Amino acid sequence: MTEQQVKRSALAIAVGVLVTGGAATGARAQQIEATPAAKATTLDAMIVTGTRGSNRTQFDTLAPVDVFSQEEIRGIESADLADVLAQLVPSLVVQRMPMNDGQVFVRPATLRGLSPDQTLVLVNGRRFHRSALLGARGAQGPDLAQIPKSAIQRIEVLRDGASAQYGSDAIAGVINIILDDSIGTDVTMGLSQYSEGDGTSRNIGARTGIALGDTGSLSLFADYDKSDATSRTRQRADAIAFQQAHPELQVPNPVQRWGQPDLENKRVGFNLKHHLGDTIEVYGYGLYGKGDGVSDFNWRNPDGTASVYNTTALFPGWDVRDLYPTGFSPKYGTDYDDLQLLFGVRGHAGDNLDWDVSGSYGRNRIEYSLGNSINASLGPDSPTAFYLGRLSQEERNLNADFVYSLPLAALASPVNVAFGAEFREETYSVDAGDPASYAIGPGAAAGLAGNSNGAPGFSPDNAGSWDQRSYAAYVDVEVPMTARWSVGAATRYEHFSSFGQTVDGKLSSRFEFTPDLAVRGSVSTGFRAPTPGQLYTTNTQQGLDTVTLQVFTSGRLSPSDPLARMLGAKDLKPEQSRTASLGLTWRNDAGFSGSVDLYDIKVTDRFSQSASFQIPAGVANPMGYTSVSYFTNDFDTTTRGIDLVGSYATELGAGRLNLTLGWNYNKTEVDKGNTGVATNASQRVVFEERLPRQKGTLSANYEVGSWSLLGKLRHYGAWTDSSGNATGDIFQRFGAMQFFDLAVSYRINAMHTLRVGADNLFDRYPDEASFQASRGLIYSRNAPYDTDGRNVYAEYRLSF
C-alpha cells in the first residue's frame, strides 16, 4: 500500500462519518482494505459518531461516546432494540406502558430524563425516521423496535448535545446504529417464558453477508418474533361486587388484563456497498418491518356504566346487557408497517477532499382497530368491531457532505474541515376510521356515549395531511493545536417552513495530561423543531378515573384549532437548549479504563400539553369531551447529572474476566412556565419524579475454553407514579429495585453455540401499586423496568 493510499484510507474514514446535515456513518470506515497499514486500527474501537476526524477512538473523542459490540447486543435476551439499549445505556429508560393506547406498542425511550424526541437516532449515520405515534406529552420519537437486532454490527451512543452537528432532536444525545457488513452467515433461534407460565416469546433472526467480487459486499437479514401476552392482574373490586349481585352470571376472572400485549413482528433488510473504480463507492441500506398486536382496555361494568347500559325509548327492545351481560373489556389492536431506504455515492477528489451525496426515504404507518366494544349512541345499528383509522409519518432527506484535510505548517496534523447542506421534508397524515367509530348517534340525546367505546376513531375533521420543509448548512472544524490539545467548533443554520430559522453552535476541547489521562469538555446550543403531527393534529382519548370508576373522554386539540385559540393556544416554536459538559477519561496497562462526565442541560420552551380546560358554556361539544387541552411551549427545565463508565479486563485462572460498570445520576427540575407542568402541582410531580434519578449496571463476563458466564446486576433508583385521573391525581412513591441476570454460553464448535439464562433470576417484583387496585392492576404500568418477574430463555446460534 503506497503512502498516498494510506492517506486516502484515513480520509475514507473521515468522509465515512459524514451524516444527515453533519451526522456520522461507519460504512466507509468499515470498507478499508485489510492491509498492514489499515490493521493498525481496530475498527470496533473506532468512533464515527460525533466527529468527522479520522482515527478517533473512545479515548480520543472530544465528547463521551459509548460503543456496544455485536456480542454485547446479542447478550441481551429481548428482540426489541429498545429493551437492549435500556440494559446497555445507564441513562436510557424504557417503560412498558400496558393499557396506554399506542404507547403499549411504541414505547418511549428516554435518554438523560429528557423527552423521547430529544434524542436523535441514526442508522449507518443517517437520520432514522420518526414513528407516526404522538406519545406522552406529544413526544414523537423514532420506534427503535423497527430496527432488527440481527442486522446490527455495533451501536454508538453520543452522550452530548449535538444539534450544531446533526440538526433537530440531538439535545440529549445521539444513538447511531451501524449495520453489519461482514461476510458470512448467522442464524439465531430463541425461546423464552416468564416464570408464571405466560409471555412465551419465539424469535428467529438470520443474516448473510455476500462478497461482491473484491470491491464490495451485500448483507441480507430477516427477523421474526412472536410474543404472547402477560397478565399481572387481580379481579377488580367492582367486578367481584357485580358477580355477587348477579350470581346467575359467570363473570370472567379477571375481567381485564394488565400486562404486555400479544405481538408479532416481521423485519427484513439489506446493507450494500460497492466500489466503482478506485475513487467512487455506491452504498445503501433498506429496512422494512410489518407487525400487529392486541392489548386490553378497561372493563365496562354493566351496573356502573350508564352511558352504555342505560335503556331508552329511542331504541325499544334494545339492551346492551343482551350483548355483553357480564360487561366488556375492549380489545385495542395495531397493525403497522415501517420502511427506511437510503442510497448514496461517495468518493474522494485529490488527496485531501472527500465527498458524500445521499438521499433517503422513511415511512411509518400505524392502523388502529377496536374489538369487543360498541358505539352505544347508535343503538342496535352499532357494530362491535371498529377500524379507527391510520396515522402516517413520511420523511425525505437529501444531503451533500464534504471533508477537507487542510495541512498547516504550524500544526503537526492537518485541520479537519467538514461542511455540507441538507434538505428535509416531513409529512404527517391522518386517515379517518369507520363512520361508526366516531359517530354521535341519536342515542346521545338520551345520554348514551358516542364513538367506539374505549378509543374513538379519527373523524374526517381529524383527518388530513400536513408537511414541513427545512434547509440547512453546516461547518464543523477540528483543530489539533498540539500533540496533546485538540479543539473543535461547529455551527449550523437551518430554516423551517413552519416557523423560520435557527442558528446553533458548539465548542469542544480535549487535553491529554498523559497518553492515558485526558480531560474533555464542550458547550453547545441546540433545538428541537415541532413536527407537523404536533403542529396540526387533534386526538381523542378515553380513560378510567380510579376513584369514581367512570370513563372520561379528553380531547387534545391542535394549537391552531379555534377552540384551542379561544382557550389561549399560540403557535408552536422550537425548543431551545444550552448544554455544558466536562469529563475525565483514563486507561492503563493493567486493564482499567473509564470516564466520568458531568453535564448541565437547560431547555427552554419545552413542548407539552396545556392544563385541561372544561368546555365553556354555550360552546358546541359534539365529541362529549370531559376536558380539552392543546400542545404548547409550556415550561423551562434544568437537567444536571453525572455519567460514570468503567471497565477492567484481566486474565484469571485459565480464562479471562471482563468487568463493566455503568452508572448515571440525573435530576430534572422545572424552572418556570406558563401553564400545565409549571403551574399544576400534580403535573410537576409527575414530570420531575416519574423516572429514577439513579440507574446503573454492573456486569461480569468470564470466558474459559468453550464456556462463557455472564452475570449482571441492574439498579434502578426510587421514582413516583400517579393515578392519571382526570382530576385529583393520586401519587405513590416506589423504592429502589435491583435485578440480577445470569447467562451461560457453550460453544460446541466454530459453528454451533448454545446459550441459556434468566433475567431477574430471583423473581423480584416492585411494591404493589396500591392506588390502582380498584381496577385490578398489581404493579405500576409506568414502571421503568419489566414487572413480569423472572424470564427464562434458551438460544441456539449457527455461524458459518
Side-chain angles (χ1 to χ4, degrees):
M1 195 174 193
T2 67
E3 181 178 357
Q4 187 178 53
Q5 287 174 319
V6 172
K7 190 174 183 180
R8 281 182 172 174
S9 292
L11 283 172
I13 300 172
V15 78
V17 300
L18 290 170
V19 299
T20 300
T25 178
R28 184 67 182 269
Q30 297 166 35
Q31 57 95 27
I32 300 172
E33 307 95 272
T35 63
K39 286 180 179 177
T41 300
T42 302
L43 291 180
D44 279 345
M46 293 188 63
I47 303 301
V48 298
T49 307
T51 178
R52 297 177 186 86
S54 60
N55 297 319
R56 288 286 187 199
T57 68
Q58 284 173 278
F59 181 73
D60 297 328
T61 55
L62 277 68
V65 180
D66 296 324
V67 180
F68 301 104
S69 68
Q70 191 174 68
E71 288 306 312
E72 289 176 293
I73 297 164
R74 288 174 172 171
I76 308 299
E77 182 275 330
S78 177
D80 187 330
L81 184 58
D83 288 330
V84 173
L85 284 166
Q87 291 203 31
L88 292 174
V89 183
S91 56
L92 186 76
V93 174
V94 178
Q95 296 164 285
R96 279 287 180 193
M97 312 297 281
M99 208 184 291
N100 204 342
D101 293 358
Q103 289 190 103
V104 70
F105 306 113
V106 183
R107 295 181 295 138
T110 302
L111 185 66
R112 288 183 164 179
L114 297 175
S115 175
D117 54 6
Q118 290 174 341
T119 299
L120 178 63
V121 175
L122 312 172
V123 174
N124 277 1
R126 298 298 194 266
R127 179 182 288 267
F128 187 70
H129 61 273
R130 309 175 195 278
S131 166
L133 175 70
L134 275 65
R137 302 187 183 277
Q140 191 184 358
D143 183 5
L144 291 167
Q146 298 308 318
I147 302 170
K149 183 177 170 182
S150 66
I152 300 172
Q153 185 174 77
R154 71 180 188 274
I155 299 174
E156 299 177 358
V157 180
L158 170 64
R159 295 177 278 111
D160 196 28
S163 290
Q165 299 163 291
Y166 297 84
S168 179
D169 306 348
I171 290 177
V174 179
I175 298 172
N176 190 12
I177 293 126
I178 309 298
L179 300 180
D180 198 344
D181 62 356
S182 61
I183 307 302
T185 299
D186 286 293
V187 179
T188 303
M189 292 177 283
L191 179 68
S192 68
Q193 187 178 78
Y194 286 95
S195 57
E196 291 200 17
D198 59 3
T200 301
S201 177
R202 315 146 195 88
N203 63 79
I204 181 169
R207 189 205 68 86
T208 185
I210 307 165
L212 301 178
D214 297 327
T215 59
S217 67
L218 172 65
S219 289
L220 303 172
F221 37 85
D223 273 13
Y224 171 81
D225 65 84
K226 179 178 175 57
S227 55
D228 298 337
T230 62
S231 180
R232 302 295 176 267
T233 315
R234 293 195 183 105
Q235 184 66 300
R236 288 172 46 150
D238 59 336
I240 295 173
F242 180 79
Q243 178 69 88
Q244 293 172 345
H246 302 275
E248 74 282 3
L249 300 175
Q250 186 63 43
V251 179
N253 186 4
V255 290
Q256 69 184 61
R257 182 188 57 80
W258 289 96
Q260 299 179 38
D262 287 294
L263 284 174
E264 184 174 23
N265 299 292
K266 311 174 191 72
R267 310 179 189 93
V268 296
F270 71 89
N271 189 27
L272 168 72
K273 61 181 182 181
H274 187 63
H275 285 280
L276 301 177
D278 294 333
T279 62
I280 296 178
E281 181 187 67
V282 296
Y283 64 94
Y285 74 84
L287 301 170
Y288 177 73
K290 185 173 180 60
D292 56 76
V294 178
S295 179
D296 280 27
F297 269 2
N298 284 298
W299 178 64
R300 272 57 177 170
N301 185 341
D303 287 351
T305 314
S307 61
V308 173
Y309 280 91
N310 274 1
T311 57
T312 171
L314 293 172
F315 305 126
W318 181 75
D319 190 339
V320 177
R321 290 177 187 266
D322 296 333
L323 183 63
Y324 297 123
T326 59
F328 62 97
S329 175
K331 306 297 182 184
Y332 188 61
T334 183
D335 198 326
Y336 77 86
D337 71 86
D338 189 274
L339 174 67
Q340 176 85 9
L341 288 172
L342 178 138
F343 289 98
V345 182
R346 56 193 170 207
H348 47 261
D351 294 337
N352 293 2
L353 179 66
D354 281 20
W355 54 270
D356 190 331
V357 178
S358 66
S360 67
Y361 172 78
R363 183 198 69 210
N364 181 259
R365 297 190 301 206
I366 309 174
E367 295 185 332
Y368 292 112
S369 60
L370 194 71
N372 199 49
S373 183
I374 198 162
N375 182 335
S377 71
L378 295 177
D381 293 330
S382 173
T384 58
F386 304 85
Y387 172 70
L388 304 181
R390 183 172 70 182
L391 305 176
S392 301
Q393 170 78 11
E394 291 185 273
E395 299 179 26
R396 297 168 178 84
N397 279 44
L398 293 174
N399 297 90
D401 303 299
F402 305 87
V403 171
Y404 185 73
S405 180
L406 176 63
L408 296 177
L411 300 177
S413 302
V415 175
N416 200 76
V417 182
F419 55 96
E422 175 190 16
F423 167 75
R424 188 163 86 251
E425 181 182 51
E426 291 186 57
T427 302
Y428 193 81
S429 303
V430 178
D431 294 333
D434 295 335
S437 71
Y438 55 79
I440 307 297
L448 293 177
N451 312 304
S452 48
N453 206 275
F458 303 118
S459 70
D461 290 338
N462 301 141
S465 182
W466 307 271
D467 59 33
Q468 176 176 259
R469 297 176 180 85
S470 67
Y471 306 84
Y474 72 91
V475 178
D476 191 353
V477 180
E478 292 186 18
V479 184
M481 304 297 291
T482 69
R484 293 186 176 186
W485 181 29
S486 297
V487 175
T491 186
R492 181 185 180 93
Y493 167 85
E494 192 153 359
H495 184 276
F496 286 81
S497 59
S498 58
F499 61 81
Q501 66 186 25
T502 178
V503 179
D504 291 279
K506 182 173 183 176
L507 293 173
S508 53
S509 185
R510 179 181 180 277
F511 181 78
E512 284 189 7
F513 297 108
T514 73
D516 296 324
L517 180 66
V519 63
R520 61 194 178 195
S522 68
V523 292
S524 63
T525 62
F527 74 103
R528 191 201 66 80
T531 70
Q534 294 165 339
L535 288 165
Y536 304 113
T537 63
T538 296
N539 189 36
T540 302
Q541 288 186 315
Q542 290 185 342
L544 186 76
D545 192 291
T546 61
V547 176
T548 65
L549 295 182
Q550 294 299 306
V551 174
F552 61 86
T553 303
S554 57
R556 192 269 302 152
L557 309 177
S558 163
S560 59
D561 184 279
L563 176 56
R565 289 289 191 180
M566 184 178 71
L567 295 172
K570 298 179 180 178
D571 292 338
L572 293 177
K573 53 187 177 181
E575 299 171 320
Q576 302 286 344
S577 69
R578 192 276 299 151
T579 300
S581 65
L582 180 65
L584 192 70
T585 182
W586 64 85
R587 62 186 179 186
N588 63 29
D589 294 336
F592 289 97
S593 64
S595 64
V596 58
D597 293 275
L598 305 172
Y599 56 88
D600 184 293
I601 307 169
K602 294 186 183 296
V603 186
T604 59
D605 296 321
R606 285 196 65 162
F607 186 79
S608 185
Q609 285 183 231
S610 71
S612 295
F613 299 92
Q614 302 299 313
I615 301 293
V619 175
N621 186 15
M623 296 297 291
Y625 289 136
T626 308
S627 62
V628 294
S629 61
Y630 50 83
F631 288 149
T632 181
N633 294 101
D634 188 34
F635 58 102
D636 304 341
T637 62
T638 297
T639 298
R640 294 187 176 97
I642 179 172
D643 286 321
L644 175 63
V645 176
S647 64
Y648 175 64
T650 184
E651 302 296 329
L652 182 65
R656 183 168 181 81
L657 176 67
N658 287 277
L659 299 175
T660 303
L661 169 68
W663 179 78
N664 170 259
Y665 173 82
N666 188 88
K667 181 180 180 180
T668 295
E669 293 183 318
V670 176
D671 297 329
K672 61 179 181 179
N674 301 312
T675 62
V677 169
T679 59
N680 183 295
S682 293
Q683 289 193 40
R684 189 172 186 135
V685 169
V686 172
F687 184 83
E688 293 184 340
E689 300 181 23
R690 74 191 190 284
L691 298 176
R693 289 183 178 173
Q694 296 185 53
K695 180 172 175 274
T697 302
L698 175 64
S699 63
N701 186 53
Y702 185 65
E703 296 180 354
V704 54
S706 298
W707 293 90
S708 176
L709 178 66
L710 174 65
K712 180 167 53 182
L713 179 65
R714 293 180 283 135
H715 170 80
Y716 298 83
W719 59 285
T720 299
D721 195 13
S722 69
S723 61
N725 287 343
T727 58
D729 252 336
I730 304 170
F731 297 98
Q732 182 176 349
R733 187 71 172 168
F734 291 87
M737 282 290 295
Q738 294 80 36
F739 303 99
F740 182 71
D741 308 329
L742 185 66
V744 179
S745 298
Y746 177 67
R747 190 173 65 179
I748 301 170
N749 54 40
M751 293 180 60
H752 305 279
T753 303
L754 291 175
R755 180 168 172 261
V756 295
D759 289 345
N760 188 6
L761 179 66
F762 301 114
D763 202 25
R764 298 200 66 206
Y765 289 89
D767 294 337
E768 295 188 6
S770 57
F771 63 84
Q772 297 280 9
S774 60
R775 49 177 173 169
L777 178 67
I778 300 177
Y779 308 107
S780 171
R781 63 175 177 170
N782 298 314
Y785 36 70
D786 189 343
T787 59
D788 287 318
R790 179 172 53 243
N791 186 36
V792 180
Y793 60 89
E795 180 183 272
Y796 165 69
R797 180 178 170 190
L798 172 66
S799 302
F800 57 93

